[in-house]
Amino acid sequence: MNIEQEVSRVVATTSSAIDSPTISQRKVASTVLVPDGRAIVLGGLMTSSEEESDAGLPGTLLESIFGSGKQSAARTELIVIIRPMVIADNSDLRAVTNEVADKMRYVTNAPLN
């Protein structure tokens, strides 16, 4: 089975003076062999960012007294869990459909029509 993962986001343009968004894309492709009904976990698209900002009058005594600073950090990781199933006939299809519907009812706690 061939699997492709992608994470895209809009970032500020830094390569030109044009004021338009740039789409940052990160992709990874994998080829895996998985037995019927067994799960596989794929991970690896990770990103970390740190941001620091200061407010006040720079270079003055007032900055140290009345200024403020802010630091933030974020980390994201894309993890994909796949459980492929071979559907050989209509009864297999009904069984898989019912299983997915049951799990969706559990997750959403609402009836599916």
Side-chain angles (χ1 to χ4, degrees):
M1 174 176 12
N2 296 321
I3 301 167
E4 294 184 17
Q5 297 169 268
E6 176 181 327
V7 175
S8 302
R9 66 186 182 105
V10 177
V11 296
T13 300
T14 58
S15 60
S16 71
I18 299 173
D19 187 22
S20 65
T22 299
I23 307 297
S24 169
Q25 292 181 323
R26 295 180 300 124
K27 297 180 182 183
V28 65
S30 304
T31 301
V32 296
L33 294 173
V34 185
D36 180 35
R38 300 293 301 260
I40 184 168
V41 178
L42 300 171
L45 286 177
M46 296 181 279
T47 185
S48 297
S49 65
E50 294 182 14
E51 190 174 304
E52 187 174 322
S53 63
D54 294 316
L57 297 172
T60 66
L61 178 62
L62 294 176
E63 178 187 21
S64 61
I65 298 172
F66 298 108
S68 64
K70 178 181 167 185
Q71 293 181 338
S72 63
R75 178 179 174 190
T76 60
E77 181 173 0
L78 175 64
I79 298 174
V80 177
I81 302 171
I82 298 174
R83 188 179 67 147
M85 299 182 73
V86 175
I87 299 175
D89 54 29
N90 283 338
S91 68
D92 287 349
L93 179 60
R94 276 190 294 279
V96 170
T97 302
N98 290 338
E99 179 182 345
V100 170
D102 288 344
K103 288 180 180 179
M104 291 303 294
R105 279 189 205 96
Y106 177 77
V107 170
T108 62
N109 211 9
L112 295 176
N113 295 329

